[in-house]
Amino acid sequence: MAKKHKRFGALHATLKATNYSATSGAAGEYLNYLKGTNKLVVARKLDSKYLVRFNVGVIPFDIEPSTASGAINAYQGTMTVVANNILSKFNGSASDGLLGIERDLTKTKEMPGFYPALVHITVVPSATTDKAAKTSGITKRTYKAYPTRTGGVPYGRTTTTVKDPNGAAITDISKETEEDSRGYIMTALKGITADSFKCIGVSFTPELHPEAGFFGVTKPTGSNVPADIPA
């Protein structure tokens, strides 16, 4: 049976109340999904070339940066090619400097288990005006949605001036918090349009320090590396 999705918790509870005997409605369709009869097909699935990961560096929020001469404070995290392409569309508003991204890996270091904070940027073509009708492969319910793309981009402390919640400039990166950066990044990206794409959503994943990571992987190059955001 297919793995239960947490986001269908209420539907699963309804199905459980029928002792898993529902034959119609959303609960019955969900049971068919769990049995494998209903198939979840990922529309507009990305080619693998867009999902290639490469390393960039950011200065963590949870580690005090060193003030020693020549100190390397940026640690390596990863992002995908498509996330990088999305970020490049809004470089005038949300630059590498604003996000604290260091692309020269000689100025970064590795730390096993470090997962940087991420800003998830959701975009649609700026010419999009209406949501398209779709049918859920799980419940068979109809709904409407925009043809979005989303990329998770690392961010960290930055030497580019940001502001605290009171609007005061923060010029000392040791005093910059993750909350400070989230607010400034949100303001920079919210609703902007650039290069035929509009940002319609911004969300964040907090910085983590679990137990594994990718290290030393430079951005891919060559004619097969896409520079666009797929339709």
Side-chain angles (χ1 to χ4, degrees), residues 78-198:
T78 69
M79 69 172 160
T80 61
V81 168
V82 71
N84 184 70
N85 294 353
I86 290 172
L87 178 62
S88 70
K89 299 297 181 183
F90 305 110
N91 191 54
S93 300
S95 64
D96 284 3
L98 181 68
L99 274 66
I101 294 175
E102 175 57 71
R103 294 179 184 268
D104 183 349
L105 297 186
T106 66
K107 298 178 181 179
T108 69
K109 53 187 175 182
E110 302 171 359
M111 181 171 69
F114 172 61
Y115 287 80
L118 297 176
V119 52
H120 303 277
I121 307 170
T122 299
V123 302
V124 295
S126 55
T128 302
T129 56
D130 299 317
K131 294 181 179 180
K134 297 185 177 183
T135 301
S136 169
I138 297 176
T139 67
K140 301 305 179 181
R141 288 172 170 167
T142 58
Y143 65 99
K144 291 185 176 182
Y146 288 116
T148 60
R149 290 296 185 194
T150 300
V153 180
Y155 69 97
R157 299 181 194 257
T158 174
T159 55
T160 297
T161 300
V162 298
K163 297 180 180 179
D164 65 21
N166 295 319
I170 301 172
T171 56
D172 182 351
I173 63 171
S174 67
K175 296 179 180 179
E176 183 185 355
T177 68
E178 197 167 335
E179 182 180 5
D180 294 331
S181 283
R182 282 200 301 267
Y184 206 72
I185 292 169
M186 175 70 81
T187 299
L189 285 169
K190 187 176 180 180
I192 66 170
T193 299
D195 196 13
S196 74
F197 281 88
K198 180 179 181 179

Side-chain angles (χ1 to χ4, degrees), residues 28-44:
E29 297 294 354
Y30 182 54
L31 180 59
N32 287 335
Y33 166 69
L34 294 176
K35 290 177 178 178
T37 303
N38 287 352
K39 304 294 184 181
L40 180 60
V41 178
V42 180
R44 301 170 59 244

